[in-house]
């Protein structure tokens, strides 16, 4: 059972052999315990923030490794407790010996997330900041790192606390009315109160909506590569990845399922989804693949529509790429039109290395008559036009996932936070409806209390042991 009186130890670096490894020791006896396993300057006499060089000793007193100890004294450490970080050569055996010696001296192995949990309990950070630490460790792109860093430094928490304090102010006025209800006194100006409630509702709703943006940046912005069979979808995926990830064949209908791969471009992580070729078919297995392609198309943040000007029946007509002429299933054709209207479509003319110029020009004309977005031109086989296409993808992400367009540049990335915001948003919606209906102050106050409660659960102003266990158990050991 975890107690604050325990001194805990765990590796703060990865498990694979490396040049260096770090073991963190935290708790009331951290400095004393570290002193007992090493030979060098006495750590208990070492000033805070000081680095000492010494020798790790085995139980029989023989030297094991040369170790650097960094001493932190409460409350000026990550956990708010006395802490020692022991940097050693990154051998698994040395790490195992060092941990064993520390535990023999009175420490115990830390549980997942226990260092961050202690930092929260000691007031070094709130819950949202602690979860930002985990997100920072897991960040896989500059954009996700930037969001996690903002959360870890308290940007999200400050925004929420500002909203919560305004809700508390409203609630206090209503509570005051309840105290004097028998005297029929109305302390809260209803018009001013409604104006403020609308403002808070708008801010919270915007924060909640930003979750879709945060998830896309955190897990990879989904991009569906769609088009007719043999247009070059798999070839484009292989070209972008620099690897033969997808099977490429002249046989129509080779790809029967979606294939996903991630790739970093610019500041973002993207999830490229290669799909089965879109066409009218009676093959039951291919139909399942096409249904999955349409599902990916509907969920994608950006769609790359690959066209083939060399195909005998390319779907080109005087009026453009009609659904009937192109051979696309009607549902797919309609989704492509919607993606184009939403600014989420990049038409692509492939095979420019082998297509005749007149066929390329005909495809340009057909695409321009069908979609508003300017087509890109590439050769997935030769790599021509790839740099320009990748830059268009980055430009799209810069415009679509601009953090400055959200409330105070805050993007919600955590599902727990999004759920709390959703509940608070519903409470404020009911509050506004109640005010319009002329409900009494006690009923209005109940919705305000619930909204305040839900916002408080995000930062930990309101929490329970079960919530803490659920959150910190997801952290890695050593963090």
């Amino acid at each position: 059972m975890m107690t604050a009186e325990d001194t805990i130890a765990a590796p703060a670096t990865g498990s694979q052999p490396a040049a260096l490894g770090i073991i963190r020791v935290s708790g009331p006896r951290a400095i004393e315990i570290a002193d007992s396993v090493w030979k060098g300057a006495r750590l208990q006499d070492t000033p805070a923030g000081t680095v000492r060089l010494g020798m790790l000793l085995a139980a029989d007193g023989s030297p094991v490794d040369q170790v650097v100890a960094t001493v932190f004294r409460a409350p000026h450490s990550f956990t708010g407790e006395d802490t020692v970080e022991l940097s050693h050569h990154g051998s698994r055996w040395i790490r195992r010996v060092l941990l064993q010696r520390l535990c023999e001296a009175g420490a115990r192995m830390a549980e997942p997330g226990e260092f961050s949990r202690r930092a929260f309990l000691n007031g070094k950070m709130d819950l949202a900041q602690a979860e930002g630490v985990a997100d920072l460790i897991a960040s896989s792109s500059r954009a996700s790192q930037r969001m996690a860093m903002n959360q870890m430094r308290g940007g999200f928490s400050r925004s929420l606390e500002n909203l919560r304090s305004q809700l508390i102010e409203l609630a206090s006025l209503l509570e005051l009315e309840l105290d004097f209800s028998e005297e029929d006194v109305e302390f809260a100006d209803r018009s001013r109160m409604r104006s403020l409630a609308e403002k808070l509702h708008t801010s919270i709703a915007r924060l909640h909506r930003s979750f879709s943006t945060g998830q896309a940046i955190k897990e990879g912005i989904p991009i569906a590569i769609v088009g007719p069979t043999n247009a070059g979808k798999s070839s484009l995926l292989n070209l972008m990845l620099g690897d033969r990830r997808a099977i490429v064949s002249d046989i129509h209908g080779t790809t029967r399922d979606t294939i996903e791969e991630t790739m970093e471009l610019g500041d973002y992580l993207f999830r490229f989804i290669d799909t089965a070729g879109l066409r009218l078919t009676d093959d039951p297995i291919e139909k399942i693949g096409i249904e999955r392609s349409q599902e990916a198309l509907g969920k994608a943040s950006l769609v790359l529509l690959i066209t083939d000007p060399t195909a005998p029946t390319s779907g080109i007509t005087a009026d453009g790429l009609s659904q009937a002429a192109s051979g696309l299933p009607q549902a797919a054709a309609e989704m492509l039109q919607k993606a184009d209207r939403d600014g989420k479509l990049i038409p692509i003319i492939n095979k420019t290395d082998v297509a005749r110029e007149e066929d390329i020009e005909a495809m340009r004309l057909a695409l321009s008559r069908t979609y508003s977005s300017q087509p890109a031109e590439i050769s997935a086989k030769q790599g021509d036009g790839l740099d320009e296409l990748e830059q268009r993808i980055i430009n799209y992400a810069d415009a679509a996932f601009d953090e400055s367009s959200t409330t105070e540049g805050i993007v919600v990335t955590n599902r727990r936070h999004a759920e709390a915001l959703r509940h608070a948003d519903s409470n404020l919606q009911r509050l506004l409806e109640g005010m319009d209906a002329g409900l009494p102050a006690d009923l209005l106050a109940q919705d305000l209390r619930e909204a305040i409660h839900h916002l408080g659960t995000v930062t930990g102003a309101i929490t329970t042991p079960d919530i803490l266990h659920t959150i910190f158990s997801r952290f890695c050991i050593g963090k």
Side-chain angles (χ1 to χ4, degrees):
M1 180 178 177
M2 291 187 296
T3 70
E5 289 73 33
D6 292 343
T7 295
I8 56 175
T13 49
S15 61
Q16 297 301 315
L20 295 173
I22 296 175
I23 288 180
R24 176 182 286 161
V25 190
S26 181
R29 297 183 58 214
I31 301 175
E32 172 197 342
I33 288 172
D35 247 338
S36 69
V37 303
W38 106 320
K39 181 180 181 180
R42 181 177 156 89
L43 298 179
Q44 293 181 76
D45 298 331
T46 298
T50 303
V51 176
R52 296 295 193 199
L53 178 65
M55 188 69 65
L56 168 63
L57 300 178
D60 62 5
S62 61
V64 175
D65 187 24
Q66 198 171 46
V67 174
V68 173
T70 307
V71 176
F72 303 89
R73 294 186 180 275
H76 305 296
S77 70
F78 175 76
T79 60
E81 303 171 325
D82 284 351
T83 302
V84 179
E85 292 185 352
L86 299 166
S87 177
H88 58 91
H89 291 99
S91 152
R92 291 177 176 174
W93 183 81
I94 293 172
R95 180 175 65 244
R96 188 164 60 248
V97 170
L98 179 49
L99 280 171
Q100 182 179 344
R101 294 283 288 120
L102 290 168
C103 290
E104 289 171 349
R108 68 164 172 82
M109 284 293 296
E111 297 188 9
E114 191 168 359
F115 290 101
S116 296
R117 179 171 181 148
R118 290 188 176 200
F120 164 70
L121 293 174
N122 290 327
K124 301 298 290 185
M125 59 178 69
D126 60 35
L127 273 187
Q129 288 176 289
E131 288 166 299
V133 173
D135 285 348
L136 186 63
I137 293 170
S139 61
S140 54
S141 67
R142 177 172 170 78
S144 58
Q145 172 270 334
R146 192 168 55 232
M147 290 191 307
M149 195 68 182
N150 185 33
Q151 184 172 324
M152 191 182 79
R153 296 176 67 181
F156 180 45
S157 299
R158 286 190 295 273
S159 179
L160 282 189
E161 281 305 309
N162 178 50
L163 292 171
R164 188 165 176 267
S165 65
Q166 293 181 68
L167 288 175
I168 290 173
E169 180 184 354
L170 280 178
S172 64
L173 291 174
L174 284 175
E175 296 286 355
L176 195 60
E177 275 191 23
L178 293 175
D179 290 341
F180 290 87
S181 58
E182 295 181 359
E183 300 180 26
D184 195 26
V185 177
E186 185 176 281
F187 287 91
D189 183 299
R190 287 294 188 268
S191 61
R192 175 181 172 275
M193 181 177 172
R194 197 186 197 293
S195 175
L196 183 54
E198 283 180 342
K199 178 183 175 183
L200 292 171
H201 177 248
T202 299
S203 296
I204 291 173
R206 190 182 297 124
L207 275 175
H208 179 246
R209 287 195 302 271
S210 76
F211 178 60
S212 60
T213 297
Q215 280 292 93
I217 293 177
K218 188 175 176 179
E219 298 179 359
I221 300 170
I223 298 183
I225 306 174
V226 303
T229 57
N230 275 22
K233 299 181 297 298
S234 298
S235 296
L236 176 59
L237 177 66
N238 290 342
L239 174 66
M240 298 192 77
L241 296 175
D243 186 22
R244 297 180 65 181
R245 174 64 179 85
I247 297 173
V248 176
S249 169
D250 292 333
I251 302 172
H252 288 269
T254 302
T255 302
R256 296 296 185 97
D257 203 350
T258 57
I259 299 173
E260 290 193 27
E261 287 292 336
T262 57
M263 176 182 178
E264 189 177 347
L265 289 175
D267 290 347
Y268 306 92
L269 181 71
F270 293 94
R271 282 192 296 117
F272 288 94
I273 308 165
D274 181 24
T275 65
L278 298 172
R279 65 170 178 171
L280 302 173
T281 179
D282 294 325
D283 185 320
I285 303 300
E286 189 175 357
K287 279 184 175 181
I288 294 174
I290 292 172
E291 288 173 1
R292 293 182 179 179
S293 298
Q294 293 177 175
E295 183 180 346
L297 196 164
K299 293 180 178 179
S301 294
L302 181 65
V303 178
L304 305 182
L305 171 61
I306 313 296
T307 63
D308 177 7
T310 70
T313 305
S314 62
I316 299 173
T317 70
D319 296 325
L321 290 172
S322 67
Q323 180 266 323
S326 65
L328 295 176
Q330 183 174 354
E334 291 173 354
M335 282 191 280
L336 288 170
Q337 290 287 355
K338 183 179 187 306
D340 181 57
R341 289 193 299 271
D342 294 341
K344 298 179 179 181
L345 178 73
I346 300 180
I348 299 172
I349 301 173
N350 189 23
K351 305 185 181 180
T352 56
D353 56 318
V354 294
R356 297 181 304 168
E357 181 55 40
E358 53 264 38
D359 291 335
I360 294 175
E361 180 56 37
M363 184 62 80
R364 287 192 197 110
L365 182 60
L367 288 171
S368 67
R369 287 172 172 170
T370 309
Y371 305 113
S372 60
S373 182
Q374 180 72 21
E377 298 182 15
I378 68 165
S379 165
K381 185 176 182 180
Q382 301 294 331
D384 301 338
L386 178 63
D387 290 345
E388 291 82 357
L389 175 60
E390 289 181 345
Q391 189 56 55
R392 284 187 65 174
I393 293 171
I394 293 170
N395 291 344
Y396 164 79
D398 283 340
F401 296 93
D402 179 13
E403 295 171 33
S404 64
S405 64
T406 61
T407 301
E408 298 180 6
I410 302 297
V411 177
V412 178
T413 62
N414 186 295
R415 188 170 298 278
R416 186 181 73 85
H417 302 169
E419 280 299 295
L421 288 164
R422 182 179 67 82
H423 287 302
D425 183 45
S426 297
N427 292 137
L428 289 179
Q429 182 62 44
R430 285 199 300 271
L431 172 68
L432 291 170
E433 292 170 356
M435 294 179 69
D436 291 340
L439 294 182
D442 56 340
L443 296 180
L444 298 178
Q446 180 60 32
D447 283 318
L448 268 177
R449 290 189 203 105
E450 290 182 12
I452 292 166
H453 170 83
H454 290 303
L455 292 189
T457 63
V458 175
T459 61
I462 299 170
T463 191
T464 67
D466 287 341
I467 290 177
L468 294 183
H469 175 74
T470 299
I471 292 170
F472 290 109
S473 64
R474 298 171 183 167
F475 283 50
C476 59
I477 293 175
K479 179 48 68 179

